[in-house]
Amino acid sequence: MKYTIEEAKEQFEKLLEEQMKRAEMMNANKEDLDFSTLKPIVIGVAGGDGIGPAITAQGKRVMEYLLADWIKEGKVVFKDIDNLTIEHRVEANQAIPDDVMAELKQCHVILKGPTTTPRKGDPWPNIESANVKMRKELDLFANVRPVRVPEQGIDWTFFRENTEGAYAIGSKGFAVGDDLNIDFTVTTQEGTERIIRAAFEYARKNGKTRVTAVTKANIIKTTDGKFLEVFYNIAKEYPNIKADDWYIDIMTAKLIDENRRKEFQVMVLPNLYGDIITDEAAEFQGGVGTAGSSNIGHKYAMFEAIHGSAPRMVQEGRAQYADPCSIMRAVVLLLSHIGCQAEAQKLEKALDICTITERKVYTTGRADGATNEELTNYIIETMQKL
């Protein structure tokens, strides 16, 4: 939609008011959910689009195996959410339809398959990303992505801010006449404080000695500058942890520097930079198909594969050959989040054996490799031996 300058001013005023209300809501809701007090813990399983239902079904199988005792005792129940599909979202003309959002809010944690985000030229209307909508609606402010390659000395944990930055109002930019298009990036005090504090708290609890902020504060001075200012203010509260910062462009280079990359431990980034650099980092571990992701808020949490929905595989009848390892890594993070650390470690160890050490069964995405069910059988059999 194209605006005149006066119309654009009115639209910008509405965006400012909307973001100020969001900041006020963040300040009013800071209490974390205590999983030890819940019975049952409700785990939602949302298949999403494309290959999503096929791989999330295998993630659920693994959880059912590892949490069998908890399920019998009524400590855990599963809730299947089937309508987080591009077809249902388009029909409702919503990033997440109201009925699906109501189901998601009945869960404490969610295992989510990939969802399709329409782009220009696609046959779908321009609805917002389901991921962005879920992160905003459930206030899932911390996107945590671990990357481990022990033989290369890589042990990174990325804390990507999830609800602000360039994605906060990414579908609400506008054109002014034919010659000017405007998008926005948003940074708030509370939004920045909570992601940076989460990174430092993780480092403290896990014996990490370095936290690195990644920005472009030399150029994006107001929003990235704010991020960096808050980072160093909070760093003063953690004198035993080294705090430093790098610009996003040089950081992408240093991650492929064999000498320097081993030095990094915990990295905290605004939304867009985190999205880009974590995909780069996942390549060291075997690609985005091997990496899981957690999205943590004070009340809700969502865990997902970081790859896309691969609609071509479905169109060609190959969904059963999609690699489930990324969603399995997400299950590791989910189990740890709800307090099942031993089960999380068992699954992580089995995944390392099945995908790195032994690799007796593996997917190729086609009929010359294993199905995701066969690979999951291998993973469960491996866990039975541990």
Side-chain angles (χ1 to χ4, degrees):
M1 185 172 182
K2 297 176 183 178
Y3 292 101
T4 66
I5 289 179
E6 289 305 315
E7 290 170 335
K9 289 178 181 178
E10 292 178 6
Q11 183 68 12
F12 185 52
E13 183 177 8
K14 292 177 183 178
L15 293 177
L16 289 176
E17 291 172 350
E18 174 188 290
Q19 292 304 306
M20 286 300 296
K21 288 179 182 177
R22 187 178 68 85
E24 291 168 3
M25 288 180 60
M26 283 192 292
N27 287 323
N29 297 284
K30 299 183 181 182
E31 187 174 347
D32 288 325
L33 186 65
D34 183 357
F35 283 95
S36 67
T37 66
L38 299 177
K39 188 175 180 180
I41 297 170
V42 181
I43 300 176
V45 180
D49 292 317
I51 62 172
I55 60 174
T56 53
Q58 302 309 316
K60 183 182 178 183
R61 279 185 63 203
V62 165
M63 288 191 288
E64 287 173 333
Y65 167 74
L66 286 169
L67 299 176
D69 290 340
W70 280 38
I71 294 168
K72 287 179 184 177
E73 296 169 10
K75 293 182 179 179
V76 165
V77 297
F78 291 96
K79 180 177 178 60
D80 293 318
I81 300 170
D82 298 324
N83 289 325
L84 191 63
T85 63
I86 185 64
E87 291 82 7
H88 185 50
R89 291 158 53 213
V90 166
E91 182 183 10
N93 196 30
Q94 292 177 288
I96 298 180
D98 293 337
D99 60 327
V100 179
M101 185 60 74
E103 289 189 87
L104 292 169
K105 289 183 176 181
Q106 294 170 14
C107 307
H108 300 112
V109 293
I110 300 153
L111 183 69
K112 176 191 158 295
T115 48
T116 301
T117 302
R119 61 183 181 180
K120 190 172 183 178
D122 285 350
W124 309 110
N126 184 28
I127 55 174
E128 186 182 33
S129 159
N131 268 13
V132 171
K133 177 65 175 178
M134 194 181 301
R135 289 164 182 165
K136 289 194 289 190
E137 186 75 17
L138 303 183
D139 201 21
L140 306 176
F141 62 84
N143 182 218
V144 185
R145 295 185 179 181
V147 174
R148 292 173 54 252
V149 189
E151 62 270 25
Q152 296 184 35
I154 292 173
D155 188 0
W156 300 326
T157 305
F158 296 89
F159 279 75
R160 167 192 169 192
E161 201 292 316
N162 229 3
T163 61
E164 301 194 338
Y167 292 6
I169 43 179
S171 63
K172 296 184 179 180
F174 47 77
V176 182
D178 293 324
D179 298 322
L180 180 64
N181 289 61
I182 301 288
D183 277 313
F184 303 95
T185 185
V186 176
T187 296
T188 66
Q189 180 72 27
E190 175 59 24
T192 305
E193 281 186 1
R194 63 187 185 178
I195 187 65
I196 291 170
R197 195 173 300 283
F200 275 100
E201 279 296 302
Y202 173 86
R204 182 183 65 80
K205 292 176 181 177
N206 290 275
K208 305 297 183 182
T209 59
R210 180 177 179 180
V211 177
T212 303
V214 182
T215 71
K216 193 61 178 173
N218 58 330
I219 304 297
I220 314 297
K221 296 182 185 295
T222 301
T223 50
D224 280 19
K226 177 70 169 181
F227 194 95
L228 203 55
E229 176 189 355
V230 173
F231 174 79
Y232 280 114
N233 285 338
I234 290 177
K236 296 172 185 176
E237 302 174 25
Y238 299 86
N240 296 324
I241 298 175
K242 178 182 177 182
D244 67 334
D245 72 275
W246 289 69
Y247 297 137
I248 180 61
D249 46 357
I250 194 63
M251 173 58 76
T252 59
K254 290 307 173 186
L255 288 189
I256 62 173
D257 184 327
E258 293 183 3
N259 295 318
R260 298 301 298 275
R261 68 188 183 201
K262 299 175 185 178
E263 300 172 6
F264 298 110
Q265 296 180 8
V266 179
M267 284 160 273
V268 59
L269 316 86
N271 204 333
L272 174 60
Y273 309 146
D275 191 8
I276 295 168
I277 208 167
T278 51
D279 280 5
E280 179 197 12
E283 286 299 308
F284 293 96
Q285 189 173 263
V288 294
T290 68
S293 171
S294 59
N295 300 267
I296 309 297
H298 291 306
K299 184 176 181 181
Y300 300 100
M302 181 266 283
F303 303 82
E304 62 179 338
I306 71 171
H307 56 69
S309 57
R312 182 179 298 176
M313 290 189 71
V314 178
Q315 292 164 7
E316 296 175 356
R318 295 188 288 115
Q320 69 271 30
Y321 298 110
D323 190 339
C325 286
S326 182
I327 206 76
M328 296 297 181
R329 296 286 180 184
V331 170
V332 171
L333 299 170
L334 185 156
L335 292 169
S336 179
H337 184 71
I338 65 174
C340 298
Q341 195 59 43
E343 290 81 0
Q345 290 173 349
K346 179 179 284 191
L347 177 55
E348 185 169 44
K349 186 173 182 179
L351 285 167
D352 288 345
I353 292 170
C354 294
T355 62
I356 300 172
T357 309
E358 287 184 355
R359 205 167 180 259
K360 293 179 180 178
V361 178
Y362 55 89
T363 60
T364 64
R366 298 184 179 275
D368 59 351
T371 65
N372 40 56
E373 182 178 3
E374 290 168 339
L375 181 54
T376 302
N377 292 341
Y378 175 38
I379 293 167
I380 291 175
E381 289 165 5
T382 302
M383 288 192 289
Q384 291 170 341
K385 300 173 185 177
L386 296 177

